[in-house]
Amino acid sequence: MMLDTGAETVRAHELAAAARDRRQQWRDDLFRRTVMACALFVFIALLGAALSMLWGGKEAFQTFGPRFIWSTDWDAVNHRFGALVPIYGTLVTALIAMIIAVPVSFGIALFLTEIAPGWLRGPVSAAIELLAGIPSIIYGMWGLFVFVPFMGAHIYPWLDTNLGPLPLIGPVFSGPPIGLGMLTAGIVLAIMVIPFVSSVMREVFNTVPVALKESAYAVGNTTWEVVWDIVLPYTRTAVVGGIFLGLGRALGETMAVTFVLGNAHQLSLSLLQPGNSIAATIANEFTEADSSLYLSSLIALGFLLFVVTFVVLAIARLMLGRLARQAGEGA
């Protein structure tokens, strides 16, 4: 009788354990499916946005064909449209922004992690976060009413007078001193991008083990040597990722660029001339599209901006993968 009772107890424990295992397995399956659905949602939303813009721009692509990409025409009256000027303006302003933002962001991150006293790191970090939180339209209004007059009165005339006559770079820095232009837009974009890039760099610099840096200092390395030989090799993958994150932000910025770029559909080598970008063109003219072809051309511009951003991020992924492989080989 006692043996039967013991066997029943063991059997009850086994059944209870099996039930717990089934519940745990059910919870694990539910969790796995939930997080997989979250991941798939990103791909579905991305694919849906791309296909919807492609479908919306179908009329423009069918009407103009591949010429739409390299044509400089933008004549709403005669219904002739081309994307080269907005694409050029988007790429040039983003490039100017990154040329300025990357070294400045690196200096900010280096100062905060290696040089700044403890009492100063908090206020500077808070200022950077505040700069990142300012709406883009505020940057645009500041750029139009404060920065554009300053550039037109001081910077553009100096560039045109001193660099304009030079043989090679002269055409890049010659133009009317109106203040509006791709150079102004690029600088405003740089100010907007710096908080994002510098924050990423600062965080990844803080992940470097203290023992590595202290060992380098102990053998007589300077701060620059520690950063160049220890910090950057340890964090280069994340640093490159942060740079391309800022580049993606610069490529898609709309309101700030719209205020200071000049919004002129003209292709010019000069950085002092007004230009246009894809986002600014869409923001300015979407409500004015009075024909299906006009509207389709604007949506096609949105699709091309999607493609440009996708290509940039794909290049970033390839570079990050290559850096990771090189780091593995070096190890």
Side-chain angles (χ1 to χ4, degrees):
M1 189 69 177
M2 294 181 61
L3 291 176
D4 292 340
T5 303
E8 291 176 356
T9 303
V10 172
R11 179 60 178 171
H13 283 299
E14 291 177 350
L15 292 175
R20 286 196 302 269
D21 292 341
R22 287 193 298 270
R23 288 195 299 270
Q24 185 64 38
Q25 182 65 33
W26 179 82
R27 292 168 183 170
D28 290 341
D29 292 339
L30 178 62
F31 176 76
R32 188 180 299 107
R33 292 190 179 96
T34 302
V35 296
M36 183 179 295
C38 294
L40 291 177
F41 173 77
V42 176
F43 289 101
I44 294 172
L46 190 65
L47 185 61
L51 292 178
S52 64
M53 287 186 293
L54 180 60
W55 181 260
K58 180 182 65 173
E59 183 178 355
F61 289 126
Q62 288 177 345
T63 302
F64 304 109
R67 188 173 63 86
F68 178 77
I69 299 176
W70 60 74
S71 173
T72 59
D73 295 333
W74 196 267
D75 188 352
V77 176
N78 297 312
H79 297 95
R80 292 198 302 267
F81 301 101
L84 182 59
V85 173
I87 292 175
Y88 175 76
T90 300
L91 295 177
V92 170
T93 53
L95 179 61
I96 294 172
M98 299 314 297
I99 290 175
I100 298 173
V102 170
V104 173
S105 300
F106 177 76
I108 293 173
L110 175 61
F111 176 76
L112 290 177
T113 57
E114 302 294 334
I115 300 174
W119 61 268
L120 188 58
R121 293 180 182 178
V124 174
S125 300
I128 294 173
E129 295 171 358
L130 179 63
L131 199 63
I134 298 176
S136 61
I137 193 171
I138 303 301
Y139 281 106
M141 295 176 63
W142 167 81
L144 180 62
F145 295 113
V146 178
F147 194 58
V148 167
F150 171 78
M151 294 291 288
H154 302 285
I155 305 302
Y156 276 27
W158 187 91
L159 292 175
D160 184 60
T161 302
N162 294 278
L163 301 182
L166 297 180
L168 294 178
I169 64 173
V172 179
F173 297 103
S174 60
I178 58 178
L180 296 170
M182 288 188 289
L183 180 60
T184 303
I187 295 175
V188 173
L189 274 179
I191 297 173
M192 299 179 64
V193 167
I194 283 172
F196 297 93
V197 181
S198 61
S199 296
V200 173
M201 288 186 177
R202 181 191 64 193
E203 294 301 325
V204 298
F205 285 175
N206 283 328
T207 62
V208 180
V210 178
L212 290 179
K213 295 189 289 186
E214 290 180 347
S215 300
Y217 284 123
V219 298
N221 287 328
T222 63
T223 301
W224 171 252
E225 290 172 336
V226 170
V227 171
W228 187 257
D229 297 328
I230 303 297
V231 176
L232 278 181
Y234 191 88
T235 61
R236 58 182 177 180
T237 301
V239 167
V240 173
I243 292 173
F244 277 93
L245 177 65
L247 179 57
R249 161 79 170 172
L251 288 171
E253 178 53 40
T254 303
M255 294 309 300
V257 175
T258 303
F259 274 89
V260 300
L261 188 53
N263 306 312
H265 281 285
Q266 59 182 16
L267 189 64
S268 174
L269 185 62
S270 175
L271 300 180
L272 311 187
Q273 293 279 1
N276 221 331
S277 70
I278 295 177
T281 300
I282 297 173
N284 279 325
E285 304 185 26
F286 200 82
T287 58
E288 301 176 1
D290 56 358
S291 65
S292 61
L293 182 59
Y294 194 175
L295 181 61
S296 178
S297 298
L298 292 174
I299 298 176
L301 281 180
F303 176 74
L304 291 178
L305 179 60
F306 177 88
V307 171
V308 169
T309 306
F310 178 80
V311 169
V312 169
L313 296 180
I315 294 174
R317 294 297 304 174
L318 291 175
M319 291 183 62
L320 292 176
R322 184 174 181 180
L323 289 174
R325 288 193 298 272
Q326 289 178 351
E329 293 173 357

